[in-house]
């Protein structure tokens, strides 16, 4: 059982995991290096714990003591009780949800382990190239979880799925969809081919087929590749993909936000499972 520890000094080193949460560049460097991430809000904290992530500590305002009582009683990690004013001074913003937890990251699996797990059947994979907006990445993870994507692969320059905003937008879905980061892009697309996947790049190109046409081909294993906001997929990724695919649109609209496009593509190519 964790003990509620009252902290009234914003410079208390015990709160160091929570300092300057609004400094995106600082947190992007610091959190992976220190093996931590921040879960914000009751539901996200519970989902992180249920997914097996270990808690380093929790910081709560009084409003959340009773709500989180079962977690407090089950945890051995320290739980820091703070005022809303102190929480704001430490984090740099008004923590209206009033509950934050510092969680330990887990080592990322190898790509071949993710594509050919000991148990399970991986047939639909999403690949995100250089998605730098944390909200878009979080929304895409939520789509992947909701629409039956078995695994997610990220290029080296992609945003961090465990960054606070990505976790928040995904509503904790990043904890439930297996994912890892590629080391060499787009060379690592060859790993998908070796595992039996057809790779389909979502793009507007002269050789693109419609999403309906892709679905009609009924690929047993399919990896859908999505490009960065604005510029789309790089020429190297397009050249390496087995197929180019477009989502037909009306009213002169040529493309969708990457998160919206992923939802459409995931739904259209979903696998019916017993």
């Amino acid at each position: 059982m964790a003990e509620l520890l009252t902290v009234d000094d914003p410079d208390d080193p015990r709160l160091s995991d929570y300092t300057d949460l609004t400094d995106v560049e600082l947190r992007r460097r610091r959190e992976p290096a220190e093996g931590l991430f921040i879960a914000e809000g009751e539901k996200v904290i519970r989902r992180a714990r249920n997914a097996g992530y270990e808690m380093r500590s929790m910081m709560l305002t009084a409003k959340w003591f009773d709500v989180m009582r079962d977690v407090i009683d089950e945890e051995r990690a320290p739980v820091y009780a703070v005022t809303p004013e102190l929480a704001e001074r430490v984090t740099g913003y008004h923590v209206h949800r009033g509950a934050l937890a510092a969680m330990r990251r887990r080592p990322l699996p190898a790509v071949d382990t993710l594509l050919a797990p000991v148990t399970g059947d991986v047939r639909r994979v999403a690949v995100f190239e250089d998605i730098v907006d944390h909200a878009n990445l979080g929304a895409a993870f939520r789509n992947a979880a909701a629409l039956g994507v078995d695994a997610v692969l990220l290029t080296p320059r992609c945003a961090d799925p465990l960054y606070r905003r990505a976790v928040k937008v995904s509503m904790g879905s990043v904890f439930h969809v297996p994912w890892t980061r590629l080391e060499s892009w787009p060379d690592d697309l060859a790993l998908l081919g070796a595992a039996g996947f057809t790779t389909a790049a979502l793009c507007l190109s002269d050789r693109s087929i419609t999403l309906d046409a892709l679905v009609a081909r009924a690929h047993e294993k399919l990896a859908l590749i999505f490009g960065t906001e604005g510029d789309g997929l790089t020429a190297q990724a397009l050249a390496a993909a087995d197929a180019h695919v477009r989502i037909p649109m009306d009213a002169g609209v040529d493309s969708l936000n990457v998160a919206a496009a992923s939802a459409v593509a995931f739904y259209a190519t979903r696998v019916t499972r017993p």
Side-chain angles (χ1 to χ4, degrees), residues 103-128:
M103 313 294 292
R104 298 187 190 278
R105 291 180 182 241
R106 298 194 296 236
L108 292 176
V111 175
D112 56 354
T113 301
L114 200 67
L115 298 180
V118 176
T119 60
D121 181 19
V122 177
R123 296 169 60 188
R124 291 294 180 267
V125 172
V127 182
F128 295 113

Side-chain angles (χ1 to χ4, degrees), residues 106-161:
R106 298 194 296 236
L108 292 176
V111 175
D112 56 354
T113 301
L114 200 67
L115 298 180
V118 176
T119 60
D121 181 19
V122 177
R123 296 169 60 188
R124 291 294 180 267
V125 172
V127 182
F128 295 113
E129 181 189 53
D130 301 350
I131 305 297
V132 297
D133 185 280
H134 290 98
N136 279 340
L137 190 62
F141 262 90
R142 188 173 184 181
N143 295 339
L147 298 169
V149 172
D150 299 306
V152 171
L153 301 178
L154 306 177
T155 63
R157 290 169 50 190
C158 243
D160 179 10

Side-chain angles (χ1 to χ4, degrees), residues 126-129 131-147 149 166 169-170 202 224-230 247 249 255-267:
V127 182
F128 295 113
E129 181 189 53
I131 305 297
V132 297
D133 185 280
H134 290 98
N136 279 340
L137 190 62
F141 262 90
R142 188 173 184 181
N143 295 339
L147 298 169
V149 172
V169 171
S170 81
L202 274 290
L224 298 167
I225 311 170
F226 301 87
T228 188
E229 304 88 348
I247 299 173
M249 298 181 212
S255 63
L256 297 173
N257 166 280
V258 64
S262 72
V264 173
F266 295 160
Y267 180 80

Side-chain angles (χ1 to χ4, degrees), residues 64-134:
W64 295 93
F65 294 168
D66 290 340
V67 176
M68 303 296 290
R69 175 53 59 186
D70 60 316
V71 176
I72 296 170
D73 289 345
E74 294 170 2
E75 276 293 338
R76 295 184 178 180
V79 179
Y80 303 120
V82 299
T83 65
E85 293 76 20
L86 187 137
E88 184 170 351
R89 290 181 65 185
V90 171
T91 63
Y93 71 104
H94 176 60
V95 188
H96 68 279
R97 292 178 183 267
L100 293 170
M103 313 294 292
R104 298 187 190 278
R105 291 180 182 241
R106 298 194 296 236
L108 292 176
V111 175
D112 56 354
T113 301
L114 200 67
L115 298 180
V118 176
T119 60
D121 181 19
V122 177
R123 296 169 60 188
R124 291 294 180 267
V125 172
V127 182
F128 295 113
E129 181 189 53
D130 301 350
I131 305 297
V132 297
D133 185 280
H134 290 98

Side-chain angles (χ1 to χ4, degrees), residues 4 23 33-34 36 45 75 91 101 104 114 128 132-133 141 153 189 191 196 209 211 231 263:
L4 275 171
D23 189 330
E34 296 184 15
L36 70 96
I45 292 172
E75 276 293 338
T91 63
R104 298 187 190 278
L114 200 67
F128 295 113
V132 297
D133 185 280
F141 262 90
L153 301 178
L189 276 179
L191 299 174
I209 62 173
L211 182 58
D231 294 331

